[in-house]
Amino acid sequence: MHPDRIILVYNEGNGLFDAVSGWSHKLLSPATYQCALCKVTFGLTGMLVPWKNYIEMLPFPVTFLHRDEFREQFPAHVSVTLPVILAGKSGRTEILLSADDLRTTGGLAVLIGMMQERLECWQPSDASDARR
């Protein structure tokens, strides 16, 4: 069984200041950059092509949210550590890759492999701790 949607949540705000601040932080001090998902999937000029191609080939919709958008749309999840990748099915959402998972990927190829592996064996739980 596969999810019917994926939600990628970045640990960045959704504003011009946030974008400029994140870009400069990534450039000047990449070791302390707080968004492991951004760090692995974006270069200095935008989304990395292999990641974009992978996302586009998934057979279900992918939603990208920033920290503030996620908190607004999923207010019950204030305790979820960001960044995170969620899988959704029938109105429920569950963590597919946690912030800890994303911090330890080591690179884009590993992230794509981890995500593919989790999607292939994904089953919605009966008692999800991450519901909309």
Side-chain angles (χ1 to χ4, degrees), residues 12-90:
E12 289 282 337
N14 181 32
L16 180 59
F17 175 78
D18 295 305
V20 172
S21 175
W23 181 86
S24 59
H25 191 172
K26 188 173 184 178
L27 176 66
L28 300 173
S29 185
T32 61
Y33 190 57
Q34 294 184 12
C35 185
L37 184 56
C38 301
K39 189 178 199 177
V40 174
T41 61
F42 277 80
L44 294 176
T45 60
M47 186 180 289
L48 298 175
V49 172
W51 178 244
K52 182 178 180 181
N53 291 342
Y54 174 72
I55 293 300
E56 288 176 350
M57 72 98 199
L58 290 172
F60 30 80
V62 177
T63 302
F64 298 89
L65 296 175
H66 293 91
R67 178 180 52 231
D68 48 345
E69 297 165 321
F70 175 69
R71 299 292 187 222
E72 183 180 310
Q73 293 180 35
F74 295 84
H77 303 314
V78 293
S79 63
V80 173
T81 304
L82 301 179
V84 68
I85 298 177
L86 304 169
K89 183 84 172 174
S90 303

Side-chain angles (χ1 to χ4, degrees), residues 101-118:
D101 294 330
L102 294 169
R103 270 192 295 277
T104 61
T105 60
L108 183 57
V110 175
L111 171 60
I112 290 172
M114 285 174 64
M115 194 162 159
Q116 194 61 35
E117 182 180 303
R118 301 268 176 102

